[in-house]
Amino acid sequence: MTHRTLGIIIQNVSGWNLLPQTIDILPDGKEESAPQDRNDMILFSALCCLQHGAFFIGGTMRELIDKLRQTQVLAKEEWIKLIDGHSEASAQYLFAQARQVRCKIYGQDVYIRGLIEISNYCKNDCYYCGIRKSNKNAVRYRLMPEEILACVQNGYTLGFRTFVLQGGDDAFYTDELLAALILQIKKTHPDCAVTLSLGERSRESYRYLFSAGADRYLLRHETASQSHYAMLHPPVLSLAKRKECLFQLKEIGYQTGSGFMVGSPGQTAEELAEDLLFLKDLNPQMVGIGPFIPHHDTPFAGKPPGSVELTLFLIGLLRLMLPGALLPATTALGTLDPEGREKGILAGANVVMPNLSPVGARTKYTLYDHKLCTGAESAEHLEELKKRIQRIGYRVVTSRGDFIKQTDLNPEERKSSHVSV
Ligand code: SAH
């Protein structure tokens, strides 16, 4: 029997009110997630498929996706082929695979992180970023330790068990100040994880903050191509240094996160393939990706934003390449598409990071234009977020949401998730 897969998300006009249903006809002919009335379902699904311009997925795309799921490795040319060839049909096939893989490791759980944007002072001048040093129109602010602790307290009450302290590269936050802050958070909330996202620091600094109790560190590599890195950053910043920091963070013992923007100026499928190869090599516990969105006060003001569809496709690929990774459905995705978060989760993501910063700070931490910080994006509206996640068949959980090592799964689970250990 030739193997055809219909991977379909049934969507009504108002969004995702109907649960996503997938019919996966596997190579052995078995069907997963079989609907109640199969014939009706197939007919309805096929109609949806036509309506959305999706047709049966081509053989090569399916083979590459299957190979990725089974081996978690692809060659550069294969990545390029997958990225260039992505279509609605191949995306739905990929997302169905990605959901199965995430489900075997993380179930239907969605982890939440309280994002505290501690400062928009930055000594760097990245060409894409709204808080770059040269942007004289940015209204600068930084939060004092007491304000950060108040955000943590507020977040704890709301149900957050991970706090992400993110900011520009701001020398105000010395190792001593940060260590005291981390110790204080850990003392008052020993059941919580602290994630830092404070840019490039020395190995000693990373070590010191880790010994103070920091659990995780987010530092996107932004692009793994040397020439592309130079198009996005001034000459004082180097890809080699970024990579060095990332390997140091991993070696020290942080759950380490990297990532990149999708559709940043000058990016092609080749750069994205390099990003995926680099991530495979780094093997981080977390990967954050989101579409590039222009900021009006940067050199990239007139550049077009990245594609939501391609970002989702890459989330699906990342889930298959790094099955246990913590993958957020990012704010940038939610900014470009009102259902970006839901779509991200349905593509394989398992984390959302609502904004827990003081309201006054939120509008000043403008990495890009129209950055979302209200509604389900804000920590106070967690109930709304929970409902939205529930509507697509997942559930927000109150837990630290640590990375699950593949070796922590029992042998049966490991076998069934096709994950090599
Ligand atoms: N100083 C920290 C935090 C940077 S801001 C650090 O260096 O890691 C967090 C992320 O926002 C960046 O890593 C970048 O990928 C993303 N970002 C910045 N400007 C953006 C833009 N214009 N569009 C989309 N994402 C952007």
Side-chain angles (χ1 to χ4, degrees):
M1 171 192 158
T2 42
H3 155 214
R4 289 265 158 102
T5 293
L6 290 171
I8 288 154
I9 294 165
I10 298 170
Q11 187 183 9
N12 72 5
V13 274
S14 66
W16 301 95
N17 293 352
L18 298 171
L19 273 185
Q21 301 269 4
T22 60
I23 311 162
D24 298 328
I25 303 165
L26 301 174
D28 60 3
K30 283 199 199 108
E31 206 178 285
E32 292 213 351
S33 321
Q36 293 268 306
D37 185 332
R38 191 179 150 202
N39 289 337
D40 280 2
M41 193 68 201
I42 290 175
L43 183 63
F44 183 43
S45 300
L47 285 171
C48 288
C49 209
L50 290 171
Q51 194 191 344
H52 287 263
F55 296 95
F56 293 119
I57 174 175
T60 317
M61 291 295 280
R62 196 188 64 227
E63 279 160 24
L64 287 173
I65 293 168
D66 289 347
K67 179 177 174 191
L68 176 62
R69 178 168 178 181
Q70 276 149 24
T71 65
Q72 294 101 51
V73 182
L74 290 181
K76 185 169 176 184
E77 288 313 311
E78 293 175 314
W79 282 124
I80 293 176
K81 216 177 259 176
L82 259 182
I83 294 162
D84 275 340
H86 84 95
S87 62
E88 175 68 18
S90 57
Q92 295 308 338
Y93 180 71
L94 169 67
F95 299 162
Q97 306 293 314
R99 286 196 294 272
Q100 286 172 14
V101 168
R102 79 88 89 186
C103 184
K104 281 174 180 144
I105 303 170
Y106 291 103
Q108 306 301 109
D109 291 355
V110 172
Y111 301 131
I112 47 169
R113 322 297 195 197
L115 179 63
I116 308 173
E117 297 155 335
I118 66 171
S119 167
N120 70 353
Y121 282 91
C122 193
K123 73 169 166 56
N124 294 332
D125 225 4
C126 309
Y127 303 147
Y128 47 84
C129 186
I131 63 168
R132 66 199 299 265
K133 178 180 66 182
S134 301
N135 181 7
K136 302 291 174 235
N137 294 329
V139 181
R140 305 287 169 174
Y141 77 92
R142 59 169 69 96
L143 301 184
M144 294 302 117
E146 314 78 70
E147 294 175 282
I148 298 170
L149 288 168
C151 292
V152 168
Q153 186 52 52
N154 176 30
Y156 191 87
T157 313
L158 290 167
F160 289 91
R161 295 296 177 267
T162 286
F163 300 99
V164 181
L165 312 187
Q166 188 180 85
D169 208 323
D170 181 358
F172 174 83
Y173 297 92
T174 60
D175 291 345
E176 290 68 31
L177 182 151
L178 287 171
L181 180 62
I182 296 162
L183 283 167
Q184 190 60 34
I185 296 173
K186 288 290 188 164
K187 192 174 149 203
T188 40
H189 302 297
D191 53 337
C192 291
V194 172
T195 304
L196 303 177
S197 178
L198 301 170
E200 294 174 8
R201 300 176 78 94
S202 68
R203 183 200 293 262
E204 293 66 43
S205 171
Y206 289 148
R207 271 227 186 89
Y208 190 69
L209 302 177
F210 186 73
S211 49
D215 303 272
R216 310 185 189 131
Y217 206 103
L218 304 177
L219 183 73
R220 291 185 178 182
H221 66 278
E222 312 296 359
T223 172
S225 144
Q226 198 96 43
S227 52
H228 191 220
Y229 198 90
M231 286 174 66
L232 303 182
H233 303 94
V236 289
L237 294 173
S238 80
L239 177 60
K241 175 73 189 152
R242 274 264 138 165
K243 287 186 175 177
E244 185 184 274
C245 288
L246 282 161
F247 283 105
Q248 284 171 357
L249 289 162
K250 268 206 86 182
E251 185 202 308
I252 291 166
Y254 284 96
Q255 287 177 46
T256 304
S258 194
F260 55 90
M261 288 173 289
V262 178
S264 57
Q267 184 187 65
T268 66
E270 185 169 358
E271 278 75 35
L272 288 169
E274 286 186 36
D275 286 324
L276 293 164
L277 291 172
F278 168 68
L279 287 169
K280 185 69 198 169
D281 187 34
L282 177 68
N283 192 22
Q285 287 87 359
M286 305 172 281
V287 183
I289 66 165
F292 159 77
I293 303 175
H295 183 289
H296 62 281
D297 280 325
T298 64
F300 291 161
K303 302 288 181 190
S307 144
V308 168
E309 283 68 34
L310 184 55
T311 306
L312 296 170
F313 195 75
L314 284 154
I315 290 176
L317 295 179
L318 284 165
R319 172 59 65 211
L320 297 191
M321 181 178 81
L322 301 170
L326 296 158
L327 300 178
T330 53
T331 307
L333 199 52
T335 298
L336 284 193
D337 185 325
E339 273 150 1
R341 261 170 311 247
E342 288 90 331
K343 290 180 183 174
I345 287 162
L346 291 169
N350 60 339
V351 172
V352 278
M353 299 169 66
N355 198 316
L356 196 52
S357 311
V359 175
R362 290 182 199 178
T363 47
K364 300 191 185 101
Y365 196 79
T366 38
L367 304 172
Y368 44 82
D369 287 340
H370 314 297
K371 181 170 152 274
L372 210 61
C373 60
T374 54
E377 199 61 37
S378 66
E380 311 80 73
H381 294 102
L382 194 57
E383 285 311 309
E384 181 189 336
L385 179 70
K386 282 183 183 170
K387 277 195 205 120
R388 291 176 62 154
I389 301 290
Q390 216 170 2
R391 236 180 270 152
I392 56 162
Y394 291 80
R395 58 180 191 136
V396 167
V397 293
T398 297
S399 93
R400 279 173 49 119
D402 284 298
F403 172 75
I404 299 179
K405 272 201 216 120
Q406 295 310 299
T407 42
D408 292 344
L409 295 173
N410 71 40
E412 259 321 293
E413 284 170 323
R414 257 184 275 158
K415 211 166 65 198
S416 61
S417 68
H418 301 270
V419 170
S420 57
V421 289

